[in-house]
Amino acid sequence: MAAQSKILLPSPVSERSTRQLISALTDLYLRHRTKISRTVYLTLFITLINRIRNAISEQKAASLHQAQARQRPRTREGEAGARKRVGLNREFFKNLLRLLRIVIPGWKSKELRLIISHSVFLVVRTLLSLYVAELDGKLVSSLVRGKGKEFLLGIVWWMVVAIPATFTNSMLSYHQCKLSLQYRTCLTNYIHSKYLSNMTFYSLSALDDRIKNADQMITVDVSRFSNSLAELYSNLAKPILDMIIYNYSLSRSVGGEGLFMMSLLVQLSANVMRALTPPFGKYVAEEARLEGEFRFQHSRLIDNSEEIALYYGHEAEKDTLDKGYFTLIKHVNRILRRRLYHGVMEDFVIKYFWGALGLILCSVPVFFKVPGHASRLMGDRTESFITNRRMLLSSSDAFGRVMFSYKEITELAGYTSRVSTLLDVMDEIQAGRFEKKLVSSASTDENAKVLRGRGKVVESENIEFVDVPIVSPNGDVLVRKLNFSVRPGEHLLIVGPNGCGKSSLFRILGGLWPVYGGVVHKPPFSDIFYIPQRPYLSRGTLRQQIIYPDGLREMRDRGVTDNDLHGILRTVEIEHIVDRLGGWEAEEEWRDVLSGGLQQRVAMARLFYHAPKYAILDECTSSVTLEIEKVMYETAKSLGITLMTVSHRRSLWKYHTNILQFDGQGNYIFTKLDAERRLKLEDEKEELDLQLRTVPEIERRIAELTG
């Protein structure tokens, strides 16, 4: 045992040789320190240039790949609407730059002033943190030296510095919240201006199926994007600034080479972490999509609650909702598991591995002589170590926040992709490019040719269709070439079975659907008024229901008073609702307060207020009596309104001069309407039908008698 112990003891000669070797290497390094530093910095510069060159090459390759992809023919309808890959790629930076131009509209904007003010407070906070690090070192040094007066003076300065430091921290939080609010305001205003212009809100849901939940994108995704962008600037600018200032101060204390070696190890470990980081941006975008679908399913249940209740379909709807929710939760649990594994790796590397490297770096001035730091006293060493450690901890924390911000950037990429997709689709819709998965016979070559075509719209005093195809929502061509005309005073009755093209005809007149061919002559939108079977009642006062879509100012500009509105209501015999519901300023959920018949009368009162040249009446008198129906039509004709009515009620025939009749097989008849003669023919037809129904009974009776 004694012999073994002697073998394990270190040799004094070996220890002395090791110290001499370290001393010789240190002296050699100090003699050539300038050359080594220049070599290191030159290597860093060459590496930076090479990375920039590689990034430019990758962007050119990505641009070439996208150009080639655009030139390839599409294999199926709606392929362009496929989901985009979400990540930190060229597409992300392009979309982010586009959104930044929206949320920061100019050099003199309030948003840019907030960013500048925020940046100033970030610099002030970093400088205060640097001063606190030095003050911390002096306090510990005073304790080690036993100088109570210096220690108390340092405490006083500590409390004095706390005043601007706390104010700065509060101002940073305030600026971040204000920036988020301003970003959301600018982006929401921009989206609203596009969404509510040129009937984009209608085309987005009816003519295009790339966006399933525009409401969630405009409300939730825009808010999340704004918060993420504001937080990212604060969480990224501050750490980067801290790293620059703290690392510069550390390089003066421990030497630039030691800091370089540590940075190299940190960079290598950071690259490993980045390679192992899951695609959180893709996960966030998918989560937002699933959230939107789940919300849409609930909205659909509410909108169709009566029909579902009558069918006793609550169990089927529950299965659908449960499936949507469990799909969402399954994806969220997947994200949580990925974040758990990633968090373990991230905490180990950032807190412990980098912390060990930091302790080694802070010990350099203690064990080695650094040029420019000749003092070797215990208090000076302690002050230097504490100051360096404080700056290193702050720098490590800053670098850790930069690493954590990568996850935040990927989440921002998800929100950026969602918002940019909404803007891109709205731009394409306003340019007349739609993508919709069509069914039925829309895939035939003849129909596909019709759908690819575009006709012309000419503004005119008359309404005239010349060789205009009528297309259903699913892409079926209902009528190949429709030709008819309506002139002022020529009232048109439109009849036909369901699905024959009546609604499509009105959508073309209203500018909601594109003209797939031929020429449409029609007056401007202000001269055409549409009243559906179930009229739309907006949120607002009773007065606003009559003058919609005008506001109070437009009503005053027309020279219309409340007495005039009261007279209009008297015409349709509902003037009593003004007093019953609390006057013109009463606000209710009018769809629930008013019955179906009252709603149709309010819609006709709205027509009489606007008094357009043409009115499209789509079964708008189905819930009123024949007497009120007569008053409505006679009043409309007396106001000079040319009527285009869809109805199967015979009582309306006498108010029209022409008829457009569809047979549901792609054919139609447009001719003059002789109401009296047509009524006689219809009565005779019904009488013959009744007689024909008795023929089988007569034949059966004859057979019994002859048998």
Side-chain angles (χ1 to χ4, degrees), residues 393-684:
L393 288 175
S394 299
S395 179
S396 317
D397 179 67
F399 195 85
R401 278 182 284 155
V402 171
M403 291 300 301
F404 281 120
S405 67
Y406 179 79
K407 183 168 58 179
E408 296 173 359
I409 293 175
T410 56
E411 292 180 356
L412 176 65
Y415 301 137
T416 302
S417 174
R418 295 270 295 173
V419 177
S420 298
T421 299
L422 175 64
L423 295 179
D424 291 340
V425 172
M426 288 196 297
D427 288 340
E428 292 190 8
I429 285 176
Q430 291 184 346
R433 296 189 294 270
F434 308 103
E435 291 184 13
K436 190 176 180 67
K437 293 181 181 179
L438 303 177
V439 295
S440 190
S441 61
S443 58
T444 62
D445 294 338
E446 189 176 359
N447 283 5
K449 182 179 180 181
V450 173
L451 295 175
R452 286 193 299 267
R454 285 295 183 271
K456 293 193 303 181
V457 178
V458 179
E459 188 170 312
S460 170
E461 291 186 358
N462 306 325
I463 294 177
E464 184 176 5
F465 278 48
V466 180
D467 296 336
V468 178
I470 303 299
V471 182
S472 69
N474 64 357
D476 280 330
V477 179
L478 303 176
V479 179
R480 294 287 173 186
K481 293 182 179 181
L482 178 63
N483 293 274
F484 76 94
S485 62
V486 178
R487 292 174 175 79
E490 297 180 352
H491 308 289
L492 178 66
L493 177 67
I494 303 175
V495 295
N498 292 332
C500 66
K502 302 188 296 293
S503 299
S504 301
L505 169 63
F506 292 154
R507 289 173 181 136
I508 294 174
L509 275 177
L512 303 181
W513 280 16
V515 180
Y516 290 103
V519 181
V520 174
H521 300 266
K522 67 185 187 68
F525 295 120
S526 58
D527 291 341
I528 302 178
F529 205 80
Y530 175 70
I531 301 181
Q533 183 176 5
R534 186 177 183 183
Y536 172 70
L537 299 179
S538 66
R539 295 184 61 182
T541 64
L542 178 60
R543 180 190 298 108
Q544 288 174 324
Q545 309 313 308
I546 309 302
I547 65 177
Y548 184 85
D550 283 356
L552 185 59
R553 179 179 299 177
E554 289 81 4
M555 187 188 88
R556 303 297 186 209
D557 293 341
R558 283 171 171 262
V560 179
T561 64
D562 288 345
N563 290 333
D564 297 328
L565 296 182
H566 201 275
I568 293 175
L569 295 185
R570 190 182 302 113
T571 301
V572 292
E573 300 181 10
I574 56 171
E575 69 276 10
H576 61 279
I577 67 172
V578 179
D579 298 328
R580 191 187 76 185
L581 298 174
W584 291 109
E585 299 297 332
E587 293 191 22
E588 300 284 351
E589 188 60 51
W590 300 108
R591 188 175 64 177
D592 300 330
V593 172
L594 301 178
S595 64
L598 286 178
Q599 290 182 35
Q600 290 188 343
R601 296 194 199 190
V602 168
M604 291 302 293
R606 188 181 293 170
L607 173 66
F608 300 155
Y609 163 78
H610 287 281
K613 292 183 179 178
Y614 293 88
I616 300 173
L617 310 180
D618 190 357
E619 298 281 2
C620 68
T621 60
S622 58
S623 299
V624 300
T625 62
L626 294 178
E627 291 76 11
I628 297 299
E629 180 182 82
K630 178 181 179 182
V631 171
M632 289 178 175
Y633 272 82
E634 289 181 349
T635 304
K637 295 176 71 173
S638 66
L639 291 174
I641 303 174
T642 301
L643 305 176
M644 299 177 63
T645 303
V646 174
S647 180
H648 296 284
R649 301 179 71 170
R650 295 186 183 183
S651 58
L652 295 176
W653 292 1
K654 59 186 175 183
Y655 303 112
H656 300 83
T657 58
N658 296 333
I659 184 171
L660 178 63
Q661 182 173 2
F662 297 94
D663 63 358
Q665 303 298 321
N667 303 312
Y668 68 94
I669 297 174
F670 174 65
T671 184
K672 291 289 184 179
L673 174 62
D674 187 343
E676 293 183 3
R677 181 172 178 272
R678 189 177 183 90
L679 283 172
K680 292 179 181 179
L681 292 176
E682 287 290 331
D683 291 339
E684 184 178 353

Side-chain angles (χ1 to χ4, degrees), residues 383-398:
E383 179 181 349
S384 175
F385 180 80
I386 295 298
T387 301
N388 292 340
R389 179 168 172 76
R390 183 68 179 261
M391 289 191 294
L392 183 68
L393 288 175
S394 299
S395 179
S396 317
D397 179 67

Side-chain angles (χ1 to χ4, degrees), residues 245-265:
I245 295 178
Y246 288 136
N247 288 342
Y248 173 74
S249 300
L250 277 171
S251 65
R252 295 177 58 189
S253 178
V254 301
E257 297 78 9
L259 189 63
F260 168 75
M261 292 302 298
M262 177 185 168
S263 301
L264 184 61
L265 292 174

